[in-house]
Amino acid sequence: MSARFNAFGQPIGPALPDWSPRPRPPRTPMEGRTCRLVPLDAAAHGGALFETYSAAPDTRGWTYLGDEMPKSAAAYRARLETQQTSEDPLFYAILDPARGDALGIASYLRIDPGNGVIEVGHLHFGPRLQRSPAATEAMALMMTRAFEELGYRRYEWKCDSLNAPSRAAALRLGFTFEGIFRNAVVVKGRSRDTAWFSITAAEWPRVRAGFAAWLDPSNFDGEGRQRHGLADLRAASG
């Protein structure tokens, strides 16, 4: 990025003469080949989500979340009833397109239309969704909406700095690590340092090309194993 200078010789950022605040994300579905994202509905999705989280061998998937595994399906549904009405975070259920059952949740949050910044978070994938093409496609669909449908300039991912799987996932998906915010928040009575990652609108075309190549059915063999990794395909796209 070449520097611009004001009348005092001070460097200033690029001009955005056509910039205007971006729309807020709509409560509408996002359709993919391996998954669908729909607005979270406690009545429709609560039972399947509680079932899929209960199918995990232990509760380690809740360690870095802000809440704990609920004691019952009814308790979880009550929690979702609050989440489904939230505007920020704005929650979606990730569905199996064939069976229609919910496999996990995701949200947009810290939505900043004026600056064109949006974060993805509150990710909680059940065992069937973890490490699957549908998990990757869900993230690609949310990025596509943010950058292409809504025109946001910056897409963020944040996690506990000690959450190694989340940090690895961010890098695999094409985010750039930006640093650690020390003593950023208190979660479950613990101090949390937060790792920050982002993708900018200028980086999105290369990230999008990587997703398209990785998600292509030809990238998987007869047993569903990938032929080429996402990071490799993204690098090959230029």
Side-chain angles (χ1 to χ4, degrees), residues 12 14 16 38 49 103 114-115 126-128 135 142 151 155 164 168 183 197 207 209 217 222-223 226 233:
I12 56 176
L16 298 173
V38 300
L49 287 171
L103 305 176
N115 290 304
R128 284 173 51 202
M142 293 185 73
Y155 193 79
N183 290 354
F197 300 82
V207 174
E223 297 182 3
Q226 67 175 14
L233 291 170

PDB file of all heavy atoms in Angstrom, residues 12 14 16 38 49 103 114-115 126-128 135 142 151 155 164 168 183 197 207 209 217 222-223 226 233:
ATOM      1  N   ILE A  12      -1.029   9.382   5.451  1.00  0.00           N
ATOM      2  CA  ILE A  12      -2.429   9.077   5.769  1.00  0.00           C
ATOM      3  C   ILE A  12      -2.869   7.872   4.946  1.00  0.00           C
ATOM      4  O   ILE A  12      -2.241   7.512   3.958  1.00  0.00           O
ATOM      5  CB  ILE A  12      -3.352  10.281   5.501  1.00  0.00           C
ATOM      6  CG1 ILE A  12      -3.223  10.756   4.049  1.00  0.00           C
ATOM      7  CG2 ILE A  12      -3.042  11.417   6.469  1.00  0.00           C
ATOM      8  CD1 ILE A  12      -4.176  11.871   3.675  1.00  0.00           C
ATOM      9  N   PRO A  14      -5.420   5.234   2.666  1.00  0.00           N
ATOM     10  CA  PRO A  14      -6.069   5.365   1.364  1.00  0.00           C
ATOM     11  C   PRO A  14      -7.435   6.037   1.473  1.00  0.00           C
ATOM     12  O   PRO A  14      -8.173   5.826   2.435  1.00  0.00           O
ATOM     13  CB  PRO A  14      -6.216   3.914   0.891  1.00  0.00           C
ATOM     14  CG  PRO A  14      -5.231   3.140   1.690  1.00  0.00           C
ATOM     15  CD  PRO A  14      -5.121   3.832   3.005  1.00  0.00           C
ATOM     16  N   LEU A  16     -11.321   6.653   0.647  1.00  0.00           N
ATOM     17  CA  LEU A  16     -12.483   5.808   0.350  1.00  0.00           C
ATOM     18  C   LEU A  16     -13.636   6.712  -0.080  1.00  0.00           C
ATOM     19  O   LEU A  16     -14.629   6.873   0.631  1.00  0.00           O
ATOM     20  CB  LEU A  16     -12.873   4.980   1.577  1.00  0.00           C
ATOM     21  CG  LEU A  16     -11.824   3.982   2.091  1.00  0.00           C
ATOM     22  CD1 LEU A  16     -12.294   3.365   3.408  1.00  0.00           C
ATOM     23  CD2 LEU A  16     -11.562   2.897   1.062  1.00  0.00           C
ATOM     24  N   VAL A  38     -29.148 -21.516   8.586  1.00  0.00           N
ATOM     25  CA  VAL A  38     -30.453 -20.875   8.720  1.00  0.00           C
ATOM     26  C   VAL A  38     -30.496 -20.150  10.061  1.00  0.00           C
ATOM     27  O   VAL A  38     -29.757 -20.501  10.992  1.00  0.00           O
ATOM     28  CB  VAL A  38     -31.602 -21.906   8.637  1.00  0.00           C
ATOM     29  CG1 VAL A  38     -31.581 -22.631   7.304  1.00  0.00           C
ATOM     30  CG2 VAL A  38     -31.529 -22.902   9.789  1.00  0.00           C
ATOM     31  N   LEU A  49     -29.382 -30.172  18.361  1.00  0.00           N
ATOM     32  CA  LEU A  49     -28.105 -29.640  18.849  1.00  0.00           C
ATOM     33  C   LEU A  49     -27.731 -30.280  20.182  1.00  0.00           C
ATOM     34  O   LEU A  49     -26.575 -30.672  20.387  1.00  0.00           O
ATOM     35  CB  LEU A  49     -28.187 -28.122  18.981  1.00  0.00           C
ATOM     36  CG  LEU A  49     -28.179 -27.344  17.670  1.00  0.00           C
ATOM     37  CD1 LEU A  49     -28.490 -25.872  17.925  1.00  0.00           C
ATOM     38  CD2 LEU A  49     -26.839 -27.482  16.955  1.00  0.00           C
ATOM     39  N   LEU A 103     -26.327 -29.490  13.071  1.00  0.00           N
ATOM     40  CA  LEU A 103     -25.032 -30.093  13.399  1.00  0.00           C
ATOM     41  C   LEU A 103     -24.143 -29.173  14.232  1.00  0.00           C
ATOM     42  O   LEU A 103     -23.134 -29.619  14.776  1.00  0.00           O
ATOM     43  CB  LEU A 103     -24.285 -30.450  12.110  1.00  0.00           C
ATOM     44  CG  LEU A 103     -25.030 -31.337  11.118  1.00  0.00           C
ATOM     45  CD1 LEU A 103     -24.186 -31.517   9.860  1.00  0.00           C
ATOM     46  CD2 LEU A 103     -25.371 -32.670  11.747  1.00  0.00           C
ATOM     47  N   GLY A 114     -20.675   0.781  10.145  1.00  0.00           N
ATOM     48  CA  GLY A 114     -20.040   2.039   9.792  1.00  0.00           C
ATOM     49  C   GLY A 114     -18.620   1.878   9.300  1.00  0.00           C
ATOM     50  O   GLY A 114     -18.176   2.594   8.383  1.00  0.00           O
ATOM     51  N   ASN A 115     -17.880   0.946   9.881  1.00  0.00           N
ATOM     52  CA  ASN A 115     -16.497   0.701   9.473  1.00  0.00           C
ATOM     53  C   ASN A 115     -16.343  -0.526   8.585  1.00  0.00           C
ATOM     54  O   ASN A 115     -15.237  -0.827   8.127  1.00  0.00           O
ATOM     55  CB  ASN A 115     -15.618   0.538  10.717  1.00  0.00           C
ATOM     56  CG  ASN A 115     -15.458   1.844  11.462  1.00  0.00           C
ATOM     57  OD1 ASN A 115     -15.025   2.850  10.905  1.00  0.00           O
ATOM     58  ND2 ASN A 115     -15.824   1.844  12.736  1.00  0.00           N
ATOM     59  N   GLY A 126     -20.744 -29.887  16.348  1.00  0.00           N
ATOM     60  CA  GLY A 126     -20.907 -31.224  16.904  1.00  0.00           C
ATOM     61  C   GLY A 126     -19.969 -32.214  16.232  1.00  0.00           C
ATOM     62  O   GLY A 126     -19.323 -31.906  15.217  1.00  0.00           O
ATOM     63  N   PRO A 127     -19.867 -33.448  16.765  1.00  0.00           N
ATOM     64  CA  PRO A 127     -18.922 -34.428  16.226  1.00  0.00           C
ATOM     65  C   PRO A 127     -19.077 -34.708  14.738  1.00  0.00           C
ATOM     66  O   PRO A 127     -18.080 -34.888  14.033  1.00  0.00           O
ATOM     67  CB  PRO A 127     -19.219 -35.679  17.064  1.00  0.00           C
ATOM     68  CG  PRO A 127     -19.743 -35.153  18.361  1.00  0.00           C
ATOM     69  CD  PRO A 127     -20.539 -33.932  17.989  1.00  0.00           C
ATOM     70  N   ARG A 128     -20.309 -34.753  14.232  1.00  0.00           N
ATOM     71  CA  ARG A 128     -20.502 -35.038  12.800  1.00  0.00           C
ATOM     72  C   ARG A 128     -20.008 -33.907  11.915  1.00  0.00           C
ATOM     73  O   ARG A 128     -19.653 -34.126  10.744  1.00  0.00           O
ATOM     74  CB  ARG A 128     -21.980 -35.299  12.508  1.00  0.00           C
ATOM     75  CG  ARG A 128     -22.476 -36.668  12.945  1.00  0.00           C
ATOM     76  CD  ARG A 128     -23.979 -36.778  12.788  1.00  0.00           C
ATOM     77  NE  ARG A 128     -24.441 -36.381  11.458  1.00  0.00           N
ATOM     78  CZ  ARG A 128     -25.690 -35.984  11.199  1.00  0.00           C
ATOM     79  NH1 ARG A 128     -26.591 -35.913  12.175  1.00  0.00           N
ATOM     80  NH2 ARG A 128     -26.031 -35.663   9.972  1.00  0.00           N
ATOM     81  N   ALA A 135     -18.125 -28.256   7.498  1.00  0.00           N
ATOM     82  CA  ALA A 135     -17.609 -27.243   8.422  1.00  0.00           C
ATOM     83  C   ALA A 135     -16.870 -26.149   7.660  1.00  0.00           C
ATOM     84  O   ALA A 135     -17.031 -24.949   7.941  1.00  0.00           O
ATOM     85  CB  ALA A 135     -16.687 -27.898   9.445  1.00  0.00           C
ATOM     86  N   MET A 142     -20.353 -17.985   5.152  1.00  0.00           N
ATOM     87  CA  MET A 142     -20.460 -16.788   5.985  1.00  0.00           C
ATOM     88  C   MET A 142     -19.527 -15.687   5.492  1.00  0.00           C
ATOM     89  O   MET A 142     -19.883 -14.503   5.509  1.00  0.00           O
ATOM     90  CB  MET A 142     -20.195 -17.139   7.441  1.00  0.00           C
ATOM     91  CG  MET A 142     -21.262 -18.038   8.047  1.00  0.00           C
ATOM     92  SD  MET A 142     -21.047 -18.356   9.817  1.00  0.00           S
ATOM     93  CE  MET A 142     -21.524 -16.752  10.513  1.00  0.00           C
ATOM     94  N   GLY A 151     -20.590  -6.359   1.417  1.00  0.00           N
ATOM     95  CA  GLY A 151     -19.532  -5.390   1.143  1.00  0.00           C
ATOM     96  C   GLY A 151     -18.699  -4.987   2.341  1.00  0.00           C
ATOM     97  O   GLY A 151     -18.172  -3.865   2.378  1.00  0.00           O
ATOM     98  N   TYR A 155     -12.979  -9.021   8.090  1.00  0.00           N
ATOM     99  CA  TYR A 155     -13.669 -10.161   8.678  1.00  0.00           C
ATOM    100  C   TYR A 155     -12.747 -10.730   9.744  1.00  0.00           C
ATOM    101  O   TYR A 155     -11.595 -11.074   9.464  1.00  0.00           O
ATOM    102  CB  TYR A 155     -13.920 -11.185   7.574  1.00  0.00           C
ATOM    103  CG  TYR A 155     -14.888 -12.297   7.904  1.00  0.00           C
ATOM    104  CD1 TYR A 155     -16.259 -12.085   7.857  1.00  0.00           C
ATOM    105  CD2 TYR A 155     -14.428 -13.572   8.205  1.00  0.00           C
ATOM    106  CE1 TYR A 155     -17.148 -13.113   8.125  1.00  0.00           C
ATOM    107  CE2 TYR A 155     -15.312 -14.613   8.470  1.00  0.00           C
ATOM    108  CZ  TYR A 155     -16.673 -14.383   8.427  1.00  0.00           C
ATOM    109  OH  TYR A 155     -17.553 -15.403   8.688  1.00  0.00           O
ATOM    110  N   ALA A 164      -5.450 -23.939  20.884  1.00  0.00           N
ATOM    111  CA  ALA A 164      -4.624 -24.284  19.726  1.00  0.00           C
ATOM    112  C   ALA A 164      -5.451 -24.750  18.528  1.00  0.00           C
ATOM    113  O   ALA A 164      -5.152 -24.357  17.391  1.00  0.00           O
ATOM    114  CB  ALA A 164      -3.594 -25.333  20.119  1.00  0.00           C
ATOM    115  N   ALA A 168      -5.320 -22.883  14.852  1.00  0.00           N
ATOM    116  CA  ALA A 168      -4.953 -23.622  13.648  1.00  0.00           C
ATOM    117  C   ALA A 168      -6.050 -23.528  12.591  1.00  0.00           C
ATOM    118  O   ALA A 168      -5.772 -23.393  11.394  1.00  0.00           O
ATOM    119  CB  ALA A 168      -4.679 -25.085  13.993  1.00  0.00           C
ATOM    120  N   ASN A 183      -4.728 -10.154  28.803  1.00  0.00           N
ATOM    121  CA  ASN A 183      -5.744  -9.890  29.833  1.00  0.00           C
ATOM    122  C   ASN A 183      -6.989  -9.239  29.217  1.00  0.00           C
ATOM    123  O   ASN A 183      -7.555  -8.293  29.778  1.00  0.00           O
ATOM    124  CB  ASN A 183      -5.184  -8.984  30.930  1.00  0.00           C
ATOM    125  CG  ASN A 183      -4.140  -9.683  31.776  1.00  0.00           C
ATOM    126  OD1 ASN A 183      -3.899 -10.878  31.628  1.00  0.00           O
ATOM    127  ND2 ASN A 183      -3.505  -8.932  32.662  1.00  0.00           N
ATOM    128  N   PHE A 197      -7.257 -12.549  14.556  1.00  0.00           N
ATOM    129  CA  PHE A 197      -6.988 -12.911  13.167  1.00  0.00           C
ATOM    130  C   PHE A 197      -7.949 -12.107  12.276  1.00  0.00           C
ATOM    131  O   PHE A 197      -9.028 -11.714  12.722  1.00  0.00           O
ATOM    132  CB  PHE A 197      -7.238 -14.400  12.926  1.00  0.00           C
ATOM    133  CG  PHE A 197      -6.405 -15.333  13.756  1.00  0.00           C
ATOM    134  CD1 PHE A 197      -6.769 -15.631  15.063  1.00  0.00           C
ATOM    135  CD2 PHE A 197      -5.283 -15.934  13.226  1.00  0.00           C
ATOM    136  CE1 PHE A 197      -6.020 -16.505  15.833  1.00  0.00           C
ATOM    137  CE2 PHE A 197      -4.521 -16.807  13.984  1.00  0.00           C
ATOM    138  CZ  PHE A 197      -4.885 -17.095  15.288  1.00  0.00           C
ATOM    139  N   VAL A 207      -8.684 -16.085  -1.044  1.00  0.00           N
ATOM    140  CA  VAL A 207      -9.295 -17.004  -0.086  1.00  0.00           C
ATOM    141  C   VAL A 207     -10.482 -17.717  -0.725  1.00  0.00           C
ATOM    142  O   VAL A 207     -10.654 -18.937  -0.585  1.00  0.00           O
ATOM    143  CB  VAL A 207      -9.715 -16.246   1.185  1.00  0.00           C
ATOM    144  CG1 VAL A 207     -10.483 -17.153   2.130  1.00  0.00           C
ATOM    145  CG2 VAL A 207      -8.483 -15.674   1.889  1.00  0.00           C
ATOM    146  N   ALA A 209     -11.006 -18.333  -3.914  1.00  0.00           N
ATOM    147  CA  ALA A 209     -10.535 -19.301  -4.909  1.00  0.00           C
ATOM    148  C   ALA A 209     -10.070 -20.584  -4.242  1.00  0.00           C
ATOM    149  O   ALA A 209     -10.296 -21.690  -4.755  1.00  0.00           O
ATOM    150  CB  ALA A 209      -9.411 -18.685  -5.744  1.00  0.00           C
ATOM    151  N   PRO A 217     -15.995 -31.345  -5.671  1.00  0.00           N
ATOM    152  CA  PRO A 217     -16.045 -32.794  -5.419  1.00  0.00           C
ATOM    153  C   PRO A 217     -14.829 -33.548  -5.961  1.00  0.00           C
ATOM    154  O   PRO A 217     -14.456 -34.594  -5.405  1.00  0.00           O
ATOM    155  CB  PRO A 217     -17.329 -33.226  -6.127  1.00  0.00           C
ATOM    156  CG  PRO A 217     -18.199 -32.007  -6.094  1.00  0.00           C
ATOM    157  CD  PRO A 217     -17.249 -30.847  -6.263  1.00  0.00           C
ATOM    158  N   GLY A 222     -12.724 -41.521  -3.441  1.00  0.00           N
ATOM    159  CA  GLY A 222     -13.933 -42.299  -3.226  1.00  0.00           C
ATOM    160  C   GLY A 222     -14.278 -42.535  -1.782  1.00  0.00           C
ATOM    161  O   GLY A 222     -15.424 -42.855  -1.462  1.00  0.00           O
ATOM    162  N   GLU A 223     -13.299 -42.356  -0.888  1.00  0.00           N
ATOM    163  CA  GLU A 223     -13.547 -42.518   0.542  1.00  0.00           C
ATOM    164  C   GLU A 223     -13.687 -41.177   1.258  1.00  0.00           C
ATOM    165  O   GLU A 223     -13.698 -41.132   2.488  1.00  0.00           O
ATOM    166  CB  GLU A 223     -12.424 -43.343   1.170  1.00  0.00           C
ATOM    167  CG  GLU A 223     -12.342 -44.756   0.605  1.00  0.00           C
ATOM    168  CD  GLU A 223     -11.254 -45.579   1.274  1.00  0.00           C
ATOM    169  OE1 GLU A 223     -10.607 -45.066   2.215  1.00  0.00           O
ATOM    170  OE2 GLU A 223     -11.056 -46.730   0.860  1.00  0.00           O
ATOM    171  N   GLN A 226      -9.435 -35.801   1.254  1.00  0.00           N
ATOM    172  CA  GLN A 226      -9.000 -34.706   0.401  1.00  0.00           C
ATOM    173  C   GLN A 226      -7.769 -35.117  -0.405  1.00  0.00           C
ATOM    174  O   GLN A 226      -6.900 -35.831   0.078  1.00  0.00           O
ATOM    175  CB  GLN A 226      -8.688 -33.460   1.229  1.00  0.00           C
ATOM    176  CG  GLN A 226      -7.487 -33.601   2.143  1.00  0.00           C
ATOM    177  CD  GLN A 226      -7.142 -32.298   2.860  1.00  0.00           C
ATOM    178  OE1 GLN A 226      -7.931 -31.359   2.879  1.00  0.00           O
ATOM    179  NE2 GLN A 226      -5.956 -32.234   3.429  1.00  0.00           N
ATOM    180  N   LEU A 233      -4.064 -25.200  -1.940  1.00  0.00           N
ATOM    181  CA  LEU A 233      -4.882 -24.730  -3.040  1.00  0.00           C
ATOM    182  C   LEU A 233      -5.024 -23.220  -3.038  1.00  0.00           C
ATOM    183  O   LEU A 233      -5.056 -22.581  -4.094  1.00  0.00           O
ATOM    184  CB  LEU A 233      -6.254 -25.396  -2.976  1.00  0.00           C
ATOM    185  CG  LEU A 233      -6.257 -26.906  -3.270  1.00  0.00           C
ATOM    186  CD1 LEU A 233      -7.614 -27.514  -2.930  1.00  0.00           C
ATOM    187  CD2 LEU A 233      -5.912 -27.156  -4.732  1.00  0.00           C
TER     188      LEU A 233
END
